[in-house]
Structures are given as structure tokens and as C-alpha cells.
Amino acid sequence: MNQELVLKNVANDNKNLLANPNEILHTAMEFQQLLMFYQSGIKQITTKFEIIEDEFESTHARNPISTITSRVKDPMSIAEKLQRKGLRVTMDNMVNKLYDIAGIRITCPFISDVYRVMQMLLQQDDIILIEMKDYIKHPKKNGYRSLHVIVKVAVYFSDQKREIPVEIQIRTIAMDFWASLDHQLHYKKDFVMQEDIDAELKSIADVIASTDQRMQKLARNIPGFVDYSRDGQLQTCC
């Protein structure tokens, strides 16, 4: 979406606010505090994943998590997302209509690890599952694969408790490799893409998925390895 159009729409949505300098300052401070809340939610869940890492290193001599990265959406991305949903760019809509402002991405060695790590997170008492989409068992048409989960986590501040929504994407290293390059190829606008790029990317995604399955079979030779991608315990929607 054109950034100038986004900013114009934001100004129209908040024209009453913009007429009052004191209200602008108050809203800016409130927005800054909200971003701090989302960052705190990320810290809370990231710590949980780091504890899982430490436990597995200690008891299993193997780590089901390869990398943990996170981000809080920037203001422009938040405004664009609200407008794509047909919503006014307001603080209330930001809090009540968007669940992916705080995001965490986890990469795992094997498909089974993806499901195991998520299972361990959802077993914790202060985690509330909001939504799950399994794009591993049900890939997108373009070949994209990942497990997407939206949860709420309780975060305690000095004067209040907040339940912060966080979107978590968990995928294998191979899935992340494909998704990262697909993103670069589709979101760079300063060159002309060949016409058959989407078909080629889908073909590569299928090859990567087959490779992940072969690696999963090899992983079953690891002592104590349990294939959690088979048990169907996670209730998902696609």
C-alpha cells in the first residue's frame, strides 16, 4: 500500500485528535506505552522458549530450537494492516483487532520439534491459545509452510496485569530458508521478476518439504526421539 495514502488515511481517521496539541502528546505517550507492553509480552514468551532450550540441552543432549527472533510491528505496518482490514487507524482498533503486533519466530531442526516446542508452550498455565493455523500439514498454495499460533500471555507490571497477544511462527530451518528468500523475491520492487517465478518457487518448496520428511526419518534413529508430528494432539485450523 502506498505510504502517502496510508498517512493521508491516518490523518483523516484522527483529524479531531490532530486539532488538539495536548491530545497528540497524550496519544503519542499512550502509543509508546502500548509498544512497551507488546515488547514485554515478547520477553515473557522468549524466556519460556529459552528455558525449554536449557532443559533439553541438560536432559536430552539435544536442542529442539535452532533460533529465536522477534519483532514489534512498526507504526507504518500497523496502520497498513488496519487499513487492509477496512478499519480506522485508532488505538482501540490496534489493541482489539490486531493480534500480530508482537511476533516471535522459532526455527527447529526437525518437523517433530516444531510440534513438540509448541506443545510444551501451550501446556503452561499462563498461556492462552487464541488461534492456530497449521501450514505444515496444510501448506499455502504458493508452497509456504509454517505453524502459526496466536497466544495471550499474562505480564505483570508495577500496577497491573495485562494479557498480551503474541503471534508465534514455528518452522524448520529448511522452511525458514525458503520463506526468507521468497519474501526477498516478492517484496523487492526495484527489478522485474521472471514470469514463471511463482511456479518455480512452489516447485522448490515441494523439494524442501520432501527433504524435511527425509531428515525426519533419519531423526528417528536418535535415541529417545519421539515423532510429535504424528500424534495429532494439537487442535489446529487451517
Side-chain angles (χ1 to χ4, degrees):
M1 188 180 290
N2 181 278
Q3 288 195 1
E4 289 186 9
L5 178 60
V6 171
L7 293 173
K8 181 180 179 181
N9 291 336
V10 170
N12 287 334
D13 288 341
N14 296 276
K15 53 188 175 185
N16 292 333
L17 182 154
L18 294 174
N20 186 335
N22 291 330
E23 191 63 27
I24 293 175
L25 179 59
H26 173 77
T27 302
M29 294 175 66
E30 186 180 359
F31 180 78
Q32 192 65 35
Q33 184 182 42
L34 276 175
L35 293 185
M36 182 274 292
F37 288 157
Y38 287 112
Q39 190 62 55
S40 299
I42 286 174
K43 287 181 180 178
Q44 192 90 332
I45 293 182
T46 298
T47 298
K48 292 176 180 294
F49 284 127
E50 290 172 348
I51 291 171
I52 290 171
E53 284 187 294
D54 292 343
E55 178 193 356
F56 265 71
E57 287 284 6
S58 173
T59 61
H60 300 285
R62 190 180 83 80
N63 197 336
I65 296 175
S66 295
T67 62
I68 303 172
T69 57
S70 63
R71 61 99 183 101
V72 173
K73 275 185 181 295
D74 61 70
M76 182 62 69
S77 296
I78 293 170
E80 288 178 344
K81 184 70 175 284
L82 286 170
Q83 290 178 25
R84 284 200 304 271
K85 286 175 162 284
L87 299 169
R88 294 175 65 245
V89 181
T90 65
M91 206 77 70
D92 284 344
N93 283 339
M94 171 182 163
V95 172
N96 297 313
K97 301 296 184 180
L98 297 185
Y99 292 106
D100 63 344
I101 294 176
I104 296 175
R105 181 174 300 155
I106 307 292
T107 64
C108 302
F110 304 108
I111 297 172
S112 177
D113 293 330
V114 171
Y115 291 96
R116 179 54 173 155
V117 166
M118 183 52 59
Q119 187 182 64
M120 287 188 288
L121 178 69
L122 295 180
Q123 287 172 345
Q124 301 192 26
D125 293 340
D126 58 344
I127 296 292
I128 302 170
L129 175 63
I130 304 300
E131 181 181 71
M132 182 181 296
K133 294 185 179 180
D134 191 340
Y135 296 118
I136 298 175
K137 294 178 179 175
H138 308 281
K140 291 187 177 183
K141 290 182 179 179
N142 67 348
Y144 175 85
R145 289 168 170 84
S146 186
L147 183 63
H148 287 203
V149 177
I150 295 173
V151 302
K152 283 188 176 180
V153 60
V155 181
Y156 291 86
F157 298 97
S158 61
D159 59 348
Q160 61 180 305
K161 180 184 84 168
R162 301 276 299 217
E163 290 185 345
I164 310 296
V166 179
E167 182 193 55
I168 306 168
Q169 299 177 1
I170 308 186
R171 58 182 68 148
T172 66
I173 299 167
M175 293 172 195
D176 190 60
F177 158 76
W178 182 91
S180 297
L181 296 186
D182 174 77
H183 180 83
Q184 288 199 29
L185 289 168
H186 277 104
Y187 287 88
K188 294 291 186 181
K189 304 299 184 183
D190 54 351
F191 63 94
V192 178
M193 191 66 63
Q194 63 189 65
E195 291 184 2
D196 61 346
I197 182 68
D198 289 333
E200 181 68 7
L201 282 168
K202 173 62 167 61
S203 175
I204 294 170
D206 291 342
V207 170
I208 288 174
S210 175
T211 302
D212 256 339
Q213 292 291 346
R214 292 171 66 186
M215 294 300 292
Q216 178 84 348
K217 290 179 180 177
L218 292 176
R220 292 173 190 146
N221 294 300
I222 299 173
F225 184 86
V226 178
D227 189 349
Y228 288 92
S229 63
R230 287 177 163 182
D231 61 16
Q233 292 181 22
L234 292 178
Q235 299 298 311
T236 67
C237 65
C238 34

